[in-house]
Amino acid sequence: MHLVGREIMSDLERMQELAQPAQTKILMLILDGLGGLPLTPQGPTELEAAHTPNLDKLAREGVCGLSAPVGAGITPGSGPGHLALFGYDPLKYLIGRGVLEALGIGFPLEKDDVAARGNFCTVDASGNITDRRAGRIPTEKCRELVELLRQIRLPGVEVLVEAVQDYRFVLVLRGPNLSAHLSETDPQRLGVPPLPVHPLAEDAKPTADLVNRWVAEARKLLADQRPANALTLRGFAKDPALPSMQQIYGLKCAAIATYPMYRGLAKLVGMDILKTSETVEDEVETLKANWGKYDFFYFHVKKTDSAGEDGDFDRKREIIEHVDELVPAMTALKPDVVIVSGDHSTPAVLKSHSWHPVPTLVWSRYCRPDDVDSFGERACARGALGVFPAKEIMPLAMANALRLAKYGA
Amino acid sequence: MHLVGREIMSDLERMQELAQPAQTKILMLILDGLGGLPLTPQGPTELEAAHTPNLDKLAREGVCGLSAPVGAGITPGSGPGHLALFGYDPLKYLIGRGVLEALGIGFPLEKDDVAARGNFCTVDASGNITDRRAGRIPTEKCRELVELLRQIRLPGVEVLVEAVQDYRFVLVLRGPNLSAHLSETDPQRLGVPPLPVHPLAEDAKPTADLVNRWVAEARKLLADQRPANALTLRGFAKDPALPSMQQIYGLKCAAIATYPMYRGLAKLVGMDILKTSETVEDEVETLKANWGKYDFFYFHVKKTDSAGEDGDFDRKREIIEHVDELVPAMTALKPDVVIVSGDHSTPAVLKSHSWHPVPTLVWSRYCRPDDVDSFGERACARGALGVFPAKEIMPLAMANALRLAKYGA
């Protein structure tokens, strides 16, 4: 008796097996950190407080729910949040911190580069850490120190150092046979020295030796600097070599995003990155200009998240309202499927990403509308999609675009 | 620390472990392709448009939800749709196309038979396919060609060929040591010849040789026929040897279905197939006549799906209304548990199976009613079962029948 059954193929393998060509177009509008919280228990969330007649219309004609990026209670970073939106299980696929930090500054990471996030810190005369962030030195100072570190040469590999912001920088090693299986040097507490890098895999020893040598030289160069006289390295990682969305879904995909990190994330899943400018209006113009050339558009709005991180409830509401005003210009392009969602929640009252599932709507001619008639957290909680994993958004989009063949006879 | 925990047993193993005897009876009423779509965004679906006072009463007294046969966005074939209803994970258990095609014509498939779906096709003088369906020849012509092919003999095995419909037929090999691990011969495109069969497992070579020999002889016999002068073979498969519902649930199970494929599916999971006639009234009579003899009845109504496939919204609505009129005759038998659901959705506007989850109600003395007071897609979306995997219907039915022991002390 086969009470266990055969091994189940992965969701992505199944998508690849079922995906079929069509002429339909999918627009995925992502308001970063869209989900919110009320200021008072009975009050509205940012999205509920916003006047959004156009999103409400899509919600009324579409089907709604709350998408959970990773799982109950889990607050996602931007990496996992976006991987889920693109259909990749964020528990199976991970983008290392070093890679994400490099993407965030638009660093042109190559396939076998090893990237790490660096922090400038302060150590005392005995070499013990007294401030893990070196008093949050200004970015200008960070750039000066990075310039200093660029003197360091290592045998057989290219060493690239880039300032990020405040005390943060990126270190990238480029060369043959490098491994990212390395331990971190940040002890995550004060009163002890930074740790040496240890190889975490058999073949990682040469890379560990190189990094330790680089750190030793950096320590010499930084010794007389104040307050940042040392550094730590975290999150050694390579490009995770994700299967591309083109391979999985057979979709020609384009990304419209104003911030480097989101363009970088889209590039990791194989999207073409469209040139655009600062504002959401600019992004809409980019969408119009490229509408004929792609099957799938990832359209990213950053400032909802920034307002949430700043704790600015009203600004987040206003940005949502501003995006709503631009929705008719997008739907005028006649997408076959529209998805509106976020990569995670960023409630102003928390001033940070949060674990709350994200208001999500799926609109198409064939989406089976539910009773939801406005776009908001409470309304979506009553939607026919229920609370569902965000990684199911792409299969739903593909189905609504009539791009999935029947499973089984 | 044992943070990993023990390996989780399969759902079916757990059911088998917990199943306990009782005197209760379960009626599973399946309206094939039940779920639908509105004709206009604000309009009703087929089920919502239907006047169904009896199903509404069951929904009011029962608990409702939307069952997802396979997963988000996945449109199930009849095989996966039914496996899920019977509690088998359709991603773990698969019924091959050849077997399903044989079941569809009521072919008495034996345990180790290898079945394949055949298509008659047209090839040009060079042997390249010019029409994969031979101009959709009429079934009568298909029967003539099948008669021709029945002349072919193979050493050591019995060869059975049966016409299905139009250009489709079934090939069955019966004998010792046959393998279904064979590649398909349909190249799925024009301008190339049918492919030879390749063994996909070590022990499949003798079967591959037999099939290739049969195809070679078939080609000679068909050479002068027009337009069908060649054939392709797909979906080689054996009876998947599923554990029976009796073994899993300890239920004596009977199937009432008018179409051969559904009787065949029920037979694969070990149900007794009850003799019945054409109409739903006939099926109700069969139910009455056999009520005392079984614990579980699978009652299948086919014509809802047929109407959906034909794009006939009103006919689908009328069939639902007709079934509703017969519900009191079923409930008069005093089932302890009533399930009403479908194996998938077949919205008239799509004229095909679809990915939308299926309105489902569970009625029993102990089902904990929710606020749903009518049976329809939007109503079920608000039900206490939410959107849930269809494979959970049987565990719910078993629980409501008080046939599952407590899990753990």
Side-chain angles (χ1 to χ4, degrees):
Chain A
M1 281 217 302
H2 301 282
L3 284 182
V4 172
R6 63 172 186 153
E7 203 178 324
I8 294 176
M9 68 165 69
S10 81
D11 295 340
L12 295 187
E13 286 168 336
R14 190 172 316 108
M15 276 299 111
Q16 191 173 39
E17 190 175 89
L18 297 179
Q20 61 185 12
Q23 294 302 312
T24 49
K25 287 185 194 288
I26 301 168
L27 170 63
M28 177 180 270
L29 171 58
I30 298 305
L31 285 81
D32 204 300
L34 175 62
L37 283 174
L39 294 173
T40 59
Q42 305 307 316
T45 65
E46 298 91 324
L47 176 58
E48 290 169 345
H51 178 63
T52 55
N54 298 302
L55 291 171
D56 292 347
K57 180 168 187 286
L58 288 177
R60 192 160 53 245
E61 296 176 1
V63 58
C64 292
L66 292 169
S67 62
V70 181
I74 307 293
T75 296
S78 299
H82 272 82
L83 283 185
L85 288 174
F86 300 151
Y88 301 74
D89 186 335
L91 296 174
K92 286 193 187 170
Y93 296 92
L94 211 57
I95 300 168
R97 178 178 293 272
V99 169
L100 214 62
E101 203 78 2
L103 297 181
I105 54 167
F107 183 90
L109 204 65
E110 294 187 6
K111 197 178 150 294
D112 287 314
D113 289 355
V114 170
R117 165 167 164 175
N119 282 7
F120 288 110
C121 64
T122 311
V123 297
D124 63 18
S126 329
N128 294 326
I129 296 173
T130 55
D131 186 334
R132 289 179 56 236
R133 298 182 183 85
R136 293 185 184 269
I137 51 167
T139 307
E140 198 39 57
K141 181 71 188 170
C142 183
R143 286 207 191 94
E144 276 178 45
L145 297 176
V146 160
E147 201 55 56
L148 211 57
L149 296 180
R150 283 180 175 157
Q151 301 172 43
I152 307 171
R153 298 279 175 273
L154 290 176
V157 298
E158 198 177 343
V159 188
L160 303 141
V161 199
E162 296 288 343
V164 177
Q165 202 178 356
D166 304 338
Y167 57 93
R168 288 152 47 202
F169 66 94
V170 172
L171 169 68
V172 174
L173 301 192
R174 179 170 294 167
N177 306 318
L178 293 172
S179 170
H181 290 104
L182 303 172
S183 69
E184 308 194 331
T185 79
D186 186 346
Q188 304 266 4
R189 60 198 178 97
L190 303 180
V192 292
L195 304 165
V197 169
H198 294 293
L200 300 177
E202 292 264 335
D203 60 353
K205 183 152 191 317
T207 315
D209 291 345
L210 285 170
V211 176
N212 283 324
R213 183 162 159 181
W214 184 84
V215 170
E217 301 220 21
R219 282 296 300 281
K220 280 185 229 158
L221 290 171
L222 294 174
D224 297 330
Q225 297 289 329
R226 291 291 176 276
N229 60 354
L231 55 82
T232 57
L233 296 171
R234 295 167 64 187
F236 292 94
K238 286 188 180 188
D239 179 328
L242 299 169
S244 78
M245 288 181 72
Q246 169 90 45
Q247 287 171 318
I248 298 164
Y249 305 113
L251 293 170
K252 198 154 185 288
C253 298
I256 304 173
T258 59
Y259 273 51
M261 185 196 286
Y262 307 95
R263 289 201 291 266
L265 282 167
K267 205 170 155 209
L268 285 187
V269 295
M271 291 191 207
D272 282 357
I273 312 304
L274 302 183
K275 200 172 141 47
T276 192
S277 280
E278 289 291 298
T279 68
V280 186
E281 283 89 342
D282 294 332
E283 293 185 86
V284 173
E285 288 309 312
T286 303
L287 181 71
K288 284 186 196 170
N290 291 276
W291 187 249
K293 298 180 206 151
Y294 295 91
D295 305 314
F296 175 93
F297 292 87
Y298 155 60
F299 189 114
H300 182 257
V301 175
K302 172 64 182 171
K303 290 188 160 50
T304 31
D305 178 61
S306 315
E309 294 264 8
D310 291 346
D312 194 333
F313 186 100
D314 287 328
R315 199 172 96 232
K316 187 173 168 192
R317 174 180 55 73
E318 286 162 12
I319 294 159
I320 294 169
E321 291 178 344
H322 180 57
V323 172
D324 184 81
E325 286 167 18
L326 295 170
V327 163
M330 303 183 208
T331 53
L333 297 167
K334 306 277 178 213
D336 298 279
V337 182
V338 180
I339 306 290
V340 184
S341 188
D343 55 340
H344 52 76
S345 294
T346 306
V349 295
L350 280 169
K351 295 187 182 179
S352 68
H353 292 201
S354 79
W355 62 91
H356 304 87
V358 185
T360 298
L361 73 80
V362 177
W363 178 97
S364 88
R365 168 71 186 87
Y366 304 112
C367 64
R368 193 195 274 166
D370 49 25
D371 283 337
V372 175
D373 58 5
S374 67
F375 194 48
E377 284 80 353
R378 288 169 177 88
C380 285
R382 295 189 304 268
L385 295 176
V387 179
F388 70 105
K391 67 176 178 167
E392 293 181 355
I393 291 175
M394 275 305 298
L396 285 172
M398 287 287 288
N400 277 278
L402 306 184
R403 283 178 174 268
L404 290 183
K406 189 161 69 174
Y407 171 76
Chain B
M1 279 214 303
H2 301 284
L3 283 182
V4 172
R6 64 172 186 148
E7 204 179 327
I8 295 177
M9 69 166 68
S10 80
D11 295 339
L12 296 187
E13 286 169 337
R14 190 171 317 104
M15 276 298 110
Q16 191 176 42
E17 192 174 90
L18 299 180
Q20 62 184 13
Q23 293 303 312
T24 49
K25 286 184 195 289
I26 301 168
L27 170 62
M28 176 180 273
L29 170 59
I30 299 305
L31 286 80
D32 203 299
L34 174 62
L37 282 175
L39 295 174
T40 58
Q42 306 305 316
T45 65
E46 297 91 325
L47 176 58
E48 289 170 344
H51 178 64
T52 54
N54 298 302
L55 290 171
D56 292 348
K57 180 167 187 286
L58 287 176
R60 191 161 53 246
E61 296 175 5
V63 59
C64 292
L66 292 169
S67 61
V70 181
I74 307 292
T75 296
S78 300
H82 271 81
L83 284 184
L85 289 173
F86 300 151
Y88 302 74
D89 186 335
L91 297 176
K92 286 190 184 172
Y93 297 91
L94 210 60
I95 300 169
R97 180 176 291 272
V99 168
L100 215 65
E101 202 79 2
L103 298 180
I105 54 167
F107 183 90
L109 205 65
E110 295 187 4
K111 199 177 149 296
D112 286 316
D113 290 354
V114 170
R117 164 166 166 177
N119 282 5
F120 287 111
C121 65
T122 310
V123 297
D124 63 19
S126 330
N128 294 326
I129 297 175
T130 55
D131 186 336
R132 289 177 58 234
R133 297 181 182 87
R136 295 185 183 270
I137 50 167
T139 307
E140 198 41 56
K141 182 70 188 172
C142 182
R143 288 207 190 93
E144 279 176 32
L145 298 176
V146 161
E147 201 55 55
L148 210 59
L149 297 179
R150 283 179 175 157
Q151 301 171 43
I152 306 171
R153 298 280 174 272
L154 291 175
V157 299
E158 199 177 341
V159 187
L160 303 140
V161 198
E162 295 288 343
V164 177
Q165 203 178 353
D166 305 338
Y167 57 93
R168 287 152 49 201
F169 67 92
V170 172
L171 170 69
V172 175
L173 302 191
R174 180 171 293 167
N177 304 317
L178 292 172
S179 168
H181 291 104
L182 303 173
S183 68
E184 309 194 330
T185 80
D186 186 346
Q188 304 265 6
R189 58 196 179 100
L190 303 181
V192 292
L195 304 165
V197 170
H198 295 293
L200 300 176
E202 292 266 333
D203 61 352
K205 183 152 191 318
T207 315
D209 292 344
L210 285 170
V211 176
N212 282 324
R213 184 162 157 180
W214 183 85
V215 170
E217 301 222 19
R219 281 297 300 281
K220 279 184 229 158
L221 290 172
L222 295 175
D224 297 330
Q225 297 288 329
R226 292 290 176 277
N229 60 354
L231 55 81
T232 58
L233 296 172
R234 295 166 64 186
F236 292 92
K238 285 188 179 188
D239 178 329
L242 300 168
S244 78
M245 289 181 72
Q246 169 87 46
Q247 287 171 316
I248 298 164
Y249 306 112
L251 294 169
K252 198 157 182 287
C253 298
I256 304 173
T258 60
Y259 273 51
M261 184 194 288
Y262 307 94
R263 290 201 291 268
L265 283 167
K267 205 170 156 214
L268 285 186
V269 295
M271 293 192 205
D272 283 356
I273 312 303
L274 303 182
K275 201 171 138 49
T276 191
S277 280
E278 288 291 298
T279 69
V280 187
E281 283 88 341
D282 293 333
E283 294 184 86
V284 173
E285 288 310 311
T286 303
L287 181 70
K288 284 186 195 170
N290 291 276
W291 187 249
K293 297 180 207 153
Y294 295 91
D295 305 313
F296 176 93
F297 292 87
Y298 156 61
F299 188 113
H300 182 257
V301 175
K302 171 64 183 172
K303 289 188 163 43
T304 30
D305 177 62
S306 315
E309 294 263 8
D310 291 346
D312 195 333
F313 186 99
D314 287 328
R315 200 172 96 231
K316 187 172 169 193
R317 175 181 55 71
E318 286 164 12
I319 295 159
I320 293 169
E321 290 178 343
H322 180 58
V323 172
D324 184 80
E325 287 167 17
L326 295 170
V327 163
M330 304 185 208
T331 53
L333 297 167
K334 306 278 179 210
D336 298 278
V337 181
V338 180
I339 305 289
V340 185
S341 187
D343 54 340
H344 52 75
S345 294
T346 307
V349 296
L350 279 169
K351 295 188 183 180
S352 68
H353 292 200
S354 79
W355 63 91
H356 304 87
V358 186
T360 298
L361 74 81
V362 177
W363 178 97
S364 86
R365 168 72 185 83
Y366 306 110
C367 64
R368 190 195 279 166
D370 48 27
D371 283 337
V372 175
D373 58 6
S374 66
F375 193 48
E377 284 80 353
R378 288 173 178 85
C380 285
R382 295 188 305 267
L385 295 176
V387 180
F388 70 106
K391 66 175 179 170
E392 293 180 355
I393 292 174
M394 275 305 299
L396 286 171
M398 288 287 289
N400 277 279
L402 307 183
R403 282 178 173 269
L404 290 183
K406 187 162 66 177
Y407 172 77

